[in-house]
Amino acid sequence: MTHLATLYETDYAQWAQRNAELLRARRFEELDIEHLLEELSDMSKSDRRELHSRLLALIAHLLKWQYQLPTLAERWREFDGRSWRATIVEQREQLADLLRESPGLKTTLAAAIAAAYPGAVRLAHKETRLPADRFPSACPYSSAQIFDDDFYPGEAPSGGQHSR
Protein backbone atom coordinates (compact mmCIF):
# COMPACT_ATOMS: atom_id res chain seq x y z
CA MET A 1 0.00 0.00 0.00
CA THR A 2 1.40 3.40 -0.97
CA HIS A 3 1.82 6.25 1.49
CA LEU A 4 -1.15 8.08 -0.05
CA ALA A 5 -3.34 4.98 0.07
CA THR A 6 -2.49 4.60 3.76
CA LEU A 7 -3.14 8.30 4.32
CA TYR A 8 -6.56 7.86 2.70
CA GLU A 9 -7.43 5.34 5.42
CA THR A 10 -6.03 7.40 8.32
CA ASP A 11 -6.35 11.13 7.47
CA TYR A 12 -8.77 11.89 4.65
CA ALA A 13 -8.26 15.68 4.78
CA GLN A 14 -4.47 15.30 4.51
CA TRP A 15 -4.91 12.76 1.70
CA ALA A 16 -7.12 15.15 -0.25
CA GLN A 17 -4.74 18.07 0.28
CA ARG A 18 -1.72 16.02 -0.83
CA ASN A 19 -3.48 14.81 -3.98
CA ALA A 20 -4.46 18.40 -4.80
CA GLU A 21 -0.83 19.48 -4.41
CA LEU A 22 0.30 16.66 -6.69
CA LEU A 23 -2.29 17.62 -9.31
CA ARG A 24 -1.21 21.29 -9.23
CA ALA A 25 2.42 20.20 -9.62
CA ARG A 26 1.39 17.86 -12.47
CA ARG A 27 3.01 14.92 -10.67
CA PHE A 28 0.36 12.53 -11.92
CA GLU A 29 2.39 9.36 -11.40
CA GLU A 30 2.31 9.95 -7.62
CA LEU A 31 -1.46 10.34 -7.35
CA ASP A 32 -3.65 7.82 -5.51
CA ILE A 33 -5.67 7.14 -8.66
CA GLU A 34 -7.72 4.27 -7.24
CA HIS A 35 -9.08 6.29 -4.34
CA LEU A 36 -9.45 9.46 -6.43
CA LEU A 37 -11.68 7.57 -8.87
CA GLU A 38 -13.68 6.12 -5.99
CA GLU A 39 -14.19 9.59 -4.49
CA LEU A 40 -15.22 11.13 -7.80
CA SER A 41 -17.69 8.33 -8.39
CA ASP A 42 -19.12 8.74 -4.89
CA MET A 43 -19.50 12.50 -5.40
CA SER A 44 -21.51 11.88 -8.53
CA LYS A 45 -23.66 9.29 -6.77
CA SER A 46 -24.29 11.64 -3.88
CA ASP A 47 -25.38 14.45 -6.20
CA ARG A 48 -27.69 12.09 -8.11
CA ARG A 49 -29.21 10.83 -4.85
CA GLU A 50 -29.82 14.40 -3.70
CA LEU A 51 -31.38 15.29 -7.06
CA HIS A 52 -33.68 12.27 -6.82
CA SER A 53 -34.66 12.97 -3.22
CA ARG A 54 -35.44 16.65 -3.82
CA LEU A 55 -37.38 15.93 -7.03
CA LEU A 56 -39.38 13.27 -5.22
CA ALA A 57 -40.37 15.71 -2.45
CA LEU A 58 -41.10 18.56 -4.86
CA ILE A 59 -43.19 16.51 -7.28
CA ALA A 60 -45.11 14.90 -4.39
CA HIS A 61 -46.01 18.35 -3.11
CA LEU A 62 -47.03 19.53 -6.57
CA LEU A 63 -49.29 16.49 -6.81
CA LYS A 64 -50.76 17.19 -3.38
CA TRP A 65 -51.28 20.83 -4.38
CA GLN A 66 -53.10 19.81 -7.55
CA TYR A 67 -55.10 16.82 -6.36
CA GLN A 68 -55.72 17.32 -2.64
CA LEU A 69 -55.72 21.06 -2.03
CA PRO A 70 -58.96 21.72 -3.95
CA THR A 71 -60.66 18.99 -1.91
CA LEU A 72 -59.31 20.36 1.34
CA ALA A 73 -60.32 23.87 0.40
CA GLU A 74 -63.91 22.69 0.10
CA ARG A 75 -63.89 20.95 3.48
CA TRP A 76 -61.56 23.19 5.44
CA ARG A 77 -61.69 26.72 4.11
CA GLU A 78 -59.07 27.86 6.61
CA PHE A 79 -56.43 25.53 5.16
CA ASP A 80 -54.41 27.62 2.75
CA GLY A 81 -51.53 25.35 1.82
CA ARG A 82 -48.77 27.49 3.38
CA SER A 83 -46.83 24.45 4.56
CA TRP A 84 -46.94 22.82 1.12
CA ARG A 85 -46.02 26.10 -0.53
CA ALA A 86 -43.03 26.45 1.81
CA THR A 87 -41.87 22.95 0.91
CA ILE A 88 -42.28 23.62 -2.81
CA VAL A 89 -40.32 26.88 -2.54
CA GLU A 90 -37.59 25.25 -0.44
CA GLN A 91 -37.17 22.25 -2.76
CA ARG A 92 -37.02 24.48 -5.83
CA GLU A 93 -34.36 26.64 -4.20
CA GLN A 94 -32.31 23.64 -3.09
CA LEU A 95 -32.58 22.08 -6.56
CA ALA A 96 -31.47 25.35 -8.18
CA ASP A 97 -28.44 25.44 -5.86
CA LEU A 98 -27.61 21.80 -6.60
CA LEU A 99 -27.78 22.40 -10.36
CA ARG A 100 -25.58 25.50 -10.04
CA GLU A 101 -23.01 23.51 -8.07
CA SER A 102 -23.25 20.43 -10.30
CA PRO A 103 -24.31 21.66 -13.76
CA GLY A 104 -23.67 18.25 -15.29
CA LEU A 105 -26.84 17.03 -13.59
CA LYS A 106 -28.91 19.16 -15.98
CA THR A 107 -28.33 16.58 -18.70
CA THR A 108 -29.99 13.94 -16.50
CA LEU A 109 -33.08 15.94 -15.48
CA ALA A 110 -35.62 14.21 -17.72
CA ALA A 111 -34.48 10.77 -16.57
CA ALA A 112 -34.27 11.92 -12.94
CA ILE A 113 -37.83 13.28 -13.05
CA ALA A 114 -39.11 10.05 -14.61
CA ALA A 115 -37.25 8.00 -11.98
CA ALA A 116 -38.51 10.12 -9.05
CA TYR A 117 -42.12 10.25 -10.19
CA PRO A 118 -43.31 6.78 -9.03
CA GLY A 119 -41.92 7.49 -5.56
CA ALA A 120 -43.57 10.91 -5.57
CA VAL A 121 -46.91 9.27 -6.38
CA ARG A 122 -46.43 6.74 -3.54
CA LEU A 123 -45.57 9.57 -1.15
CA ALA A 124 -48.52 11.72 -2.25
CA HIS A 125 -50.82 8.68 -2.00
CA LYS A 126 -49.65 7.87 1.54
CA GLU A 127 -49.83 11.47 2.73
CA THR A 128 -53.18 12.35 1.13
CA ARG A 129 -54.82 8.92 1.32
CA LEU A 130 -56.13 9.58 -2.18
CA PRO A 131 -56.20 6.47 -4.38
CA ALA A 132 -52.87 5.99 -6.16
CA ASP A 133 -54.68 5.67 -9.48
CA ARG A 134 -56.02 9.19 -9.05
CA PHE A 135 -52.55 10.45 -10.02
CA PRO A 136 -51.31 10.30 -13.63
CA SER A 137 -49.16 7.31 -14.55
CA ALA A 138 -46.42 9.62 -15.90
CA CYS A 139 -45.28 12.94 -14.52
CA PRO A 140 -47.75 15.59 -15.72
CA TYR A 141 -45.30 18.44 -15.20
CA SER A 142 -42.57 19.52 -17.57
CA SER A 143 -39.09 20.21 -16.28
CA ALA A 144 -39.73 23.91 -16.90
CA GLN A 145 -42.90 23.79 -14.76
CA ILE A 146 -41.20 21.89 -11.97
CA PHE A 147 -38.52 24.58 -11.70
CA ASP A 148 -40.80 27.57 -12.34
CA ASP A 149 -41.20 29.58 -9.12
CA ASP A 150 -44.63 30.76 -10.28
CA PHE A 151 -46.01 27.36 -11.23
CA TYR A 152 -48.56 25.79 -8.90
CA PRO A 153 -50.76 23.23 -10.69
CA GLY A 154 -54.50 23.51 -10.69
CA GLU A 155 -56.42 26.34 -9.16
CA ALA A 156 -55.33 28.00 -5.95
CA PRO A 157 -57.90 28.20 -3.18
CA SER A 158 -60.21 31.20 -3.21
CA GLY A 159 -59.44 34.23 -1.12
CA GLY A 160 -56.36 35.37 -3.02
CA GLN A 161 -54.01 33.89 -0.42
CA HIS A 162 -51.80 32.39 -3.11
CA SER A 163 -51.05 35.35 -5.30
CA ARG A 164 -48.06 34.56 -7.45
Side-chain angles (χ1 to χ4, degrees):
M1 187 176 273
T2 68
H3 170 68
L4 274 179
T6 302
L7 197 56
Y8 178 81
E9 301 295 330
T10 59
D11 188 346
Y12 180 82
Q14 184 63 34
W15 171 86
Q17 182 179 350
R18 183 66 184 137
N19 274 288
E21 291 167 358
L22 291 170
L23 280 168
R24 281 187 209 94
R26 299 189 175 282
R27 293 169 45 193
F28 305 122
E29 67 283 348
E30 298 176 49
L31 292 170
D32 182 3
I33 298 294
E34 180 181 338
H35 288 121
L36 281 170
L37 291 172
E38 184 179 317
E39 289 300 314
L40 289 171
S41 176
D42 286 348
M43 285 173 53
S44 174
K45 287 178 194 172
S46 175
D47 285 350
R48 287 192 308 269
R49 277 192 301 271
E50 182 177 358
L51 178 66
H52 179 86
S53 175
R54 293 198 178 279
L55 283 169
L56 186 144
L58 175 56
I59 294 168
H61 276 75
L62 291 173
L63 289 168
K64 288 173 17 176
W65 186 279
Q66 182 172 2
Y67 291 93
Q68 188 180 35
L69 189 56
T71 303
L72 289 178
E74 292 168 11
R75 288 188 278 167
W76 299 308
R77 293 276 180 211
E78 71 276 6
F79 182 83
D80 66 2
R82 273 187 234 158
S83 170
W84 292 348
R85 184 177 180 84
T87 298
I88 290 168
V89 167
E90 170 71 14
Q91 293 304 318
R92 283 178 170 154
E93 189 60 34
Q94 292 294 333
L95 280 162
D97 286 348
L98 177 62
L99 293 174
R100 271 192 296 278
E101 293 170 9
S102 300
L105 291 174
K106 291 177 186 174
T107 63
T108 68
L109 273 180
I113 290 167
Y117 186 71
V121 167
R122 283 190 302 277
L123 185 60
H125 161 67
K126 289 175 183 177
E127 290 182 5
T128 65
R129 298 183 185 248
L130 293 172
D133 62 4
R134 174 114 186 251
F135 303 105
S137 60
C139 187
Y141 316 119
S142 69
S143 179
Q145 288 173 319
I146 289 170
F147 288 92
D148 180 351
D149 288 338
D150 295 323
F151 175 73
Y152 290 83
E155 295 183 5
S158 60
Q161 295 172 333
H162 294 286
S163 60
R164 297 189 256 304

